[in-house]
Amino acid sequence: MTKPRICVTTGTRADYGLLYWLMHDLHDDPDFELQIAVSAMHLSPAFGETVRFIRADGFKIDAEIPCLDDDDSDAGMARAFGRAVDGFRGAFEQLEPDFLVILGDRFEALAAATAATFLHIPVGHIHGGEVTLGAMDDTFRHAITKMAHLHFTAAGQYADRVIQMGEAPERVFNIGAIGLDNFRRLSIPDRLELMRELEIEPEREYVLMTYHPATMDSASPVAALEQVLEALQSFPDLAVIITKANSDPGGRKINARLETFHSQHRDRVRLVASLGQLRYLAAMKHARVVLGNSSSGLIEAPAVDVPTVNVGPRQLGRLKAMSVIDTVEETGAIVRAMTEAMSPSFRDAIKDSAPPYGRPGDATGSLLSVLRKIDFARLLQKPFYDLPDQALKE
């Protein structure tokens, strides 16, 4: 009997980090054949060409779908989406997967789901049902949900929301945040090793920062970033580890400003396109505080009791742990939030809290247990589930 071909798509350093153990376990599982399709930022030198990390981890890449150019305007990203749809269409026609796994909410994830819809390939979606009102990714995520046939959510509230969108409850599985498996399964470098690799004084405290464009915000992303950088000037003793912004509209402008900031503060600022999975998790685990607007500050950081200062509207609507302090993009407010987050009393208060995405577990194993029971050929015809008190009357 032919093993089902499971194609996993990845477009960024972030989603690859979350998908690593699923790809690893699918590769080693005798019941499945793993296929890997990479796209977008992974293939762009401007964003670190992070496909190299996938290869370094020993994975065979079955398809590459380049789609980015130097234009990260809204219109430029729309053109990139069109190229991605056609690229995934060609890849899927060649690979003929039985099932496609997509994580998250980015435009290339939507492109993969769109191509799969036209080619009648069933889709499994990870991290559906979430809300990020400050980014156009919010719309992309919900669109992918309607194209998907199985749903693997990170929290019970998100599972409920997917069902509210008309997805059948028996197709929705609340497995928790899959990226948290990394803290249990990876051998994360200790603090001294990390500091040595980044050439930071071993005893120096640091902040880990990632700032992406808030694509639904009318304010200039660079103007908002200036408030964050100005706030960092109030903490001259802190080292700053910065990972560059993604390829969303405005991302290149943010990265150009970060390059300037780095050149002005080389004594304490480390700027990289990507730290790689192990170093990023180590940097998070040992940070004094996580700063910016990345989802990792809301999902991964709370799982290891690291405070987060979440800046601006990008993550508006997402579940928040006690360890997350929201603040507007204004220097004084950011300084106050960082001061609170780094206080010993705040650290003590969050140690016994229950993060909404849970603690490190085995989300990957839960997902695979679902796939082992699925008849992929029967997934394509989806029912629309009406909530019991809203069922249409005949």
Side-chain angles (χ1 to χ4, degrees), residues 247-315:
S247 61
D248 286 343
R252 283 179 170 84
K253 292 180 180 178
I254 284 177
N255 289 338
R257 177 64 184 97
L258 290 173
E259 290 282 4
T260 301
F261 182 74
H262 173 237
S263 68
Q264 295 168 339
H265 302 279
R266 290 186 181 275
D267 61 320
R268 72 181 186 113
V269 175
R270 301 293 179 266
L271 174 66
V272 295
S274 175
L275 284 167
Q277 175 75 337
L278 280 175
R279 288 200 304 180
Y280 183 74
L281 292 173
M284 173 176 288
K285 184 176 181 180
H286 305 305
R288 185 79 181 274
V289 64
V290 171
L291 173 67
N293 60 8
S294 169
S295 61
S296 62
L298 277 65
I299 299 175
E300 282 88 0
V304 288
D305 296 321
V306 175
T308 297
V309 173
N310 178 55
V311 181
R314 190 170 189 269
Q315 300 295 339

Side-chain angles (χ1 to χ4, degrees), residues 216-251:
M216 293 301 288
D217 192 0
S218 59
S220 161
V222 175
L225 173 65
E226 292 292 351
Q227 301 295 310
V228 182
L229 300 181
E230 183 64 28
L232 287 172
Q233 304 287 45
S234 296
F235 304 93
D237 293 335
L238 280 179
V240 185
I241 301 173
I242 306 176
T243 58
K244 288 184 177 181
N246 61 26
S247 61
D248 286 343

Side-chain angles (χ1 to χ4, degrees), residues 308-380:
T308 297
V309 173
N310 178 55
V311 181
R314 190 170 189 269
Q315 300 295 339
L316 186 63
R318 203 186 282 274
L319 293 175
K320 308 280 176 60
M322 282 181 59
S323 58
V324 177
I325 301 174
D326 290 324
T327 180
V328 296
E329 294 161 324
E330 188 274 318
T331 298
I334 297 169
V335 169
R336 289 189 293 273
M338 289 185 65
T339 301
E340 179 184 357
M342 292 188 291
S343 68
S345 60
F346 188 82
R347 280 255 186 184
D348 289 341
I350 66 177
K351 283 183 179 178
D352 295 326
S353 63
Y357 301 93
R359 299 285 183 178
D362 188 21
T364 299
S366 297
L367 194 156
L368 286 174
S369 69
V370 173
L371 294 189
R372 290 191 184 95
K373 302 171 186 176
I374 293 297
D375 182 349
F376 298 107
R378 293 175 174 266
L379 284 177
L380 284 173

Side-chain angles (χ1 to χ4, degrees), residues 41-61:
M41 289 171 61
H42 278 313
L43 305 175
S44 171
F47 295 98
E49 207 163 9
T50 47
V51 65
R52 60 196 169 95
F53 292 119
I54 304 176
R55 292 196 179 102
D57 285 336
F59 289 115
K60 171 181 172 288
I61 295 171

